[in-house]
Amino acid sequence: MLDQGAPPQNRPRPPGSPGLGSRLMRRKPVERLVAEGGQGEGGSLRRSLGMWQLTMISIGATLGTGIFVVLGESVPKAGPAVTISFVIAGLTALFSALSYAELAGSIPVAGSSYSYAYATMGELVAWVCGWCLVLEYGVSVAAVAVGWGEYLNELLDGTIGVTIPDVLSSAPGEGGIINLPGLIVVLLAMVFLLGGAKESARANTIMVIVKIAALVLFCTIGFMGFKSGNYSDFMPLGTAGVSAAAASLFFSYIGFDAASTAGEEAKNPQRDLPRAIMLSLVIVTALYVLVAAVAVGAWNWKDFEGSEATLAAIMNDVSGQHFWGTLLAAGAVISIASVVLTVLYGQTRVLFAMSRDGLVPKAFGKVSKKTGTPRVNTVIVSLFCAALASVIPLGKLVDATSIGTLFAFGLVNIAVIVLRRTRPDMPRTFRVPLGWLFPVLGFGFCAYNMFSLDSITWVVFGVWMAVGLVFYFLYGMSRSRLASAEK
């Protein structure tokens, strides 16, 4: 007879019940993941997105604060060699994007890398990956929102000659009480998302077109002030500076995986998701390298230190008038808002998938029959991100986002290798070329960039992981749908 008075961890297991190791490593079959696609509490997600919308979601989530704002913080770390930093970060993203494309075509579900890990490496690893995605998406929304406020002030100054005072546009510790613009843009994105995925995708497409036009305009004007002498001292801070900048600039590439979170709302996910992921990364990388090269050519790298709304400031300096900088600021305000919209979308869909598996509360999985969206989920996540954006400085948010993303991307590369070994005959609409080479390189690049981040970022990451594991062992492990099926 079992000793019911003993602590749970000390009670003997009933005959035939799985041990702790088996429970932590239980995998969710791919067929079950796909079969449950779109299903939520009280309703289902709607399949309304084609390849064009998926590509725009991916570009919308990627192309934004990374180039409009973080460029100004990265140049002082690497000097003109920041262009190499972009290439290193881009290669890291490329290898991981190839792995994402293979898995998205094979397992087209909303959970992104969380679901891929669940199918290949077990529940505990899936939870860790999902928890990293919460850090990646949730914190990056806040970081992007903070950057949005800088360009909003530039736009207001250039049009009506008034700016939002620092006390209402800066985080505590940076001269302010609350970052009101960051708070507002997250809440606006929430309103769009509550209207439905198709409607949000339409608004995002318009904003993506505006942001690409804004960056092309910057390159056109900025090239007029190009000075080859600005590249004379190409690597003033050595390879360490290039590595540090690359680790921060990886923030610029997160978001291409947002398309994979739309797997349960895509019309033809097996065909369209891999194409959308790869196409978006090619477009974004080309724009990043071009804009960075022009920016460093137009300004001495030392002038980037402490600059805000950097691209607009360069245009004002090169043209000698504020009109072009104001026009770019207007484009940036619109385009950065699209990042908030699409990354917030990705966060809600990851939590939707985790809720369906029982690892987070059911509220995150409830779907509105009227709009086909997880409304409660969207409101909770939006309020959380808005709170972060209003009180935490940009730099801290960027590095915290990067380390969570790199960890999740590393797991995706491993998942490709595992799934090829365990399910070699499973249909794949896209395969990473050269066998295991690219996934291994992808994992290596992710690890390299993670170890280039400072110790404080690692401490924050460690605390975040510890909190996540406590939540899993106290809540998720016992409420897992797979656990219920074993009883």
Side-chain angles (χ1 to χ4, degrees), residues 348 351-353 355 360-366 374 376-378 380-381:
T348 60
L351 285 170
F352 171 81
S355 175
V360 298
K362 291 183 179 180
F364 291 97
K366 291 183 179 179
V376 175
N377 180 344
T378 301
I380 293 173
V381 171

Side-chain angles (χ1 to χ4, degrees), residues 53-189:
Q53 289 95 339
L54 293 170
T55 303
M56 291 299 102
I57 286 173
S58 190
I59 294 176
T62 310
L63 192 63
T65 300
I67 192 67
F68 282 105
V69 180
V70 178
L71 174 66
E73 297 192 354
S74 300
V75 172
K77 297 179 182 179
V82 72
T83 51
I84 297 179
S85 301
F86 265 112
V87 172
I88 294 173
L91 282 173
T92 305
L94 173 61
F95 291 131
S96 296
L98 290 169
S99 294
Y100 262 100
E102 177 169 328
L103 293 173
S106 306
I107 314 173
V109 292
S112 185
S113 51
Y114 155 76
S115 294
Y116 309 151
Y118 213 163
T120 57
M121 290 175 279
E123 187 171 282
L124 179 62
V125 177
W127 168 263
V128 170
C129 189
W131 195 244
C132 285
L133 290 177
V134 172
L135 181 67
E136 171 194 345
Y137 285 112
V139 180
S140 67
V141 167
V144 170
V146 172
W148 183 80
E150 294 180 6
Y151 277 93
L152 177 63
N153 260 340
E154 183 71 22
L155 176 61
L156 293 174
D157 184 43
T159 52
I160 61 178
V162 175
T163 60
I164 301 173
D166 288 344
V167 70
L168 295 177
S169 61
S170 300
E174 291 195 338
I177 297 176
I178 186 173
N179 189 323
L180 194 58
L183 176 70
I184 291 173
V185 71
V186 176
L187 296 181
L188 287 175

Side-chain angles (χ1 to χ4, degrees), residues 31-396:
E31 291 77 11
R32 181 172 172 180
L33 278 166
V34 176
E36 291 179 353
Q39 299 176 21
E41 292 285 334
S44 300
L45 302 178
R46 297 174 182 172
R47 293 194 178 276
S48 59
L49 305 177
M51 179 184 164
W52 172 252
Q53 289 95 339
L54 293 170
T55 303
M56 291 299 102
I57 286 173
S58 190
I59 294 176
T62 310
L63 192 63
T65 300
I67 192 67
F68 282 105
V69 180
V70 178
L71 174 66
E73 297 192 354
S74 300
V75 172
K77 297 179 182 179
V82 72
T83 51
I84 297 179
S85 301
F86 265 112
V87 172
I88 294 173
L91 282 173
T92 305
L94 173 61
F95 291 131
S96 296
L98 290 169
S99 294
Y100 262 100
E102 177 169 328
L103 293 173
S106 306
I107 314 173
V109 292
S112 185
S113 51
Y114 155 76
S115 294
Y116 309 151
Y118 213 163
T120 57
M121 290 175 279
E123 187 171 282
L124 179 62
V125 177
W127 168 263
V128 170
C129 189
W131 195 244
C132 285
L133 290 177
V134 172
L135 181 67
E136 171 194 345
Y137 285 112
V139 180
S140 67
V141 167
V144 170
V146 172
W148 183 80
E150 294 180 6
Y151 277 93
L152 177 63
N153 260 340
E154 183 71 22
L155 176 61
L156 293 174
D157 184 43
T159 52
I160 61 178
V162 175
T163 60
I164 301 173
D166 288 344
V167 70
L168 295 177
S169 61
S170 300
E174 291 195 338
I177 297 176
I178 186 173
N179 189 323
L180 194 58
L183 176 70
I184 291 173
V185 71
V186 176
L187 296 181
L188 287 175
M190 178 187 73
V191 172
F192 274 106
L193 290 176
L194 290 175
K198 185 175 182 180
E199 292 73 12
S200 301
R202 185 181 297 118
N204 173 66
T205 298
I206 295 172
M207 290 188 280
V208 167
I209 293 172
V210 170
K211 79 167 72 179
I212 292 176
L215 291 175
V216 171
L217 173 65
F218 168 80
C219 292
T220 303
I221 301 297
F223 190 74
M224 297 178 183
F226 193 93
K227 302 180 183 68
S228 58
N230 287 335
Y231 280 92
S232 58
D233 187 11
F234 185 67
M235 199 180 294
L237 302 173
T239 56
V242 173
S243 297
S248 292
L249 283 172
F250 188 75
F251 174 83
S252 306
Y253 287 92
I254 70 167
F256 70 80
D257 56 322
S260 67
T261 67
E264 296 175 22
E265 290 160 285
K267 296 176 182 177
N268 191 344
Q270 285 89 350
R271 182 196 67 185
D272 293 340
L273 284 176
R275 296 179 181 181
I277 289 171
M278 297 311 303
L279 179 59
S280 64
L281 188 63
V282 169
I283 294 172
V284 167
T285 301
L287 281 170
Y288 278 168
V289 173
L290 180 61
V291 171
V294 171
V296 174
W299 257 16
N300 184 284
W301 70 274
K302 296 179 182 178
D303 294 336
F304 285 80
E305 184 74 45
S307 64
E308 292 189 355
T310 306
L311 299 190
I314 292 174
M315 289 185 72
N316 289 337
D317 188 42
V318 169
S319 65
Q321 50 186 304
H322 286 280
F323 172 77
W324 296 110
T326 302
L327 187 61
L328 181 78
V333 166
I334 295 173
S335 63
I336 295 176
S338 77
V339 183
V340 176
L341 177 68
T342 49
V343 176
L344 194 62
Y345 167 86
Q347 172 72 100
T348 60
R349 271 43 179 187
V350 169
L351 285 170
F352 171 81
M354 295 177 75
S355 175
R356 184 171 55 207
D357 292 331
L359 300 184
V360 298
K362 291 183 179 180
F364 291 97
K366 291 183 179 179
V367 177
S368 166
K369 292 183 179 180
K370 181 178 180 181
T371 63
T373 59
R375 281 192 163 185
V376 175
N377 180 344
T378 301
V379 171
I380 293 173
V381 171
S382 299
L383 293 178
F384 172 75
C385 294
L388 286 180
S390 64
V391 298
I392 300 180
L394 177 64
K396 301 298 182 184

Side-chain angles (χ1 to χ4, degrees), residues 11-36:
R11 293 176 190 166
R13 297 192 309 271
S17 64
L20 178 61
S22 298
R23 284 183 287 166
L24 297 180
M25 294 297 293
R26 54 195 170 207
R27 300 175 185 178
K28 189 171 183 179
V30 173
E31 291 77 11
R32 181 172 172 180
L33 278 166
V34 176
E36 291 179 353

